Amino acid sequence: MAETTLYRRRRSCRDFTDEPVPREMILELLEAARWSPSGGNLQPWRFVVVHDAGRRRQLVGACLGQGFVAEAPAVIVACALPEVSALHYGERGRSLYFFYDVTAATENMLLRATELGLGVCWVGAFDEVAVARVLGLEASWRPLVVVPVGWAREQPREGSRQPLERLVVWLDEDRTGAP
């Protein structure tokens, strides 16, 4: 597989320059998220874009002290609407499907950011109630992912991955494996 493949180029960036990200580029990320798959095409997501420096600083506290969240010139918070999923899928939608949908949308956003040369990071370690309070979210909106967006100060290094042999079990006639 080519080293230049989009998913291989995606990196988590935690060191941003001060240069603002044009609104058109933020819209590109949101458009990529909007076109991601969702169960029943329900699209149970909302995105909050934070440019305000004061609110970004408040998000640092909600994100367990991860200071790079405030250093990015923009932060996108991907929120779920569990009750939208529940309307069609009942309890499984309310407890699970919305999560799949918002995380797929977030990955689309991260991949588009990579194409555009932006630095982003998937932040999942945060106090959900505190993030909701900082953003003034409606009670039906559940923040799932915080994504700082900006220009990387330097190219983040490639992370390591486990070998496929350790991750995959083949259950067909040609190859077998034991879980």
Side-chain angles (χ1 to χ4, degrees):
M1 284 174 240
E3 194 63 38
T4 58
T5 313
L6 180 60
Y7 65 86
R8 294 284 301 264
R9 290 194 331 258
R10 191 214 54 78
R11 302 278 185 275
S12 293
C13 176
R14 294 177 181 84
D15 190 14
F16 300 95
T17 70
D18 295 334
E19 183 181 347
V21 177
R23 184 179 188 88
E24 297 76 28
M25 292 181 93
I26 298 291
L27 288 169
E28 286 277 334
L29 303 183
L30 297 168
E31 187 69 13
R34 184 173 77 98
W35 280 98
S36 68
S38 66
N41 196 29
L42 296 175
Q43 303 167 52
W45 47 59
R46 296 293 182 271
F47 304 96
V48 180
V49 181
V50 182
H51 284 109
D52 176 69
R55 222 178 274 250
R56 291 192 333 259
R57 282 191 299 274
Q58 290 177 347
L59 283 173
V60 169
C63 292
L64 312 178
Q66 297 178 81
F68 66 90
V69 171
E71 293 171 13
V75 175
I76 300 173
V77 180
C79 300
L81 306 176
E83 294 307 314
V84 170
S85 294
L87 289 174
H88 192 69
Y89 294 109
E91 186 53 39
R92 194 153 170 88
R94 180 179 294 108
S95 64
L96 185 61
Y97 292 168
F98 74 88
F99 187 81
Y100 295 159
D101 297 341
V102 173
T103 55
T106 301
E107 183 64 12
N108 268 18
M109 193 181 336
L110 298 181
L111 291 174
R112 184 64 181 133
T114 299
E115 287 179 320
L116 294 172
L118 291 167
V120 289
C121 186
W122 180 302
V123 177
F126 58 84
D127 178 330
E128 191 175 313
V129 173
V131 168
R133 187 173 34 252
V134 167
L135 301 179
L137 298 180
E138 296 178 26
S140 61
W141 292 26
R142 186 171 171 195
L144 290 189
V145 185
V146 174
V147 181
V149 180
W151 301 101
R153 191 169 308 281
E154 57 186 52
Q155 179 64 31
R157 64 178 170 76
E158 182 174 342
S160 62
R161 294 293 184 262
Q162 295 183 31
L164 277 178
E165 302 80 46
R166 186 171 179 180
L167 303 174
V168 178
V169 175
W170 296 88
L171 299 177
D172 58 27
E173 293 178 21
D174 299 323
R175 299 174 181 225
T176 59

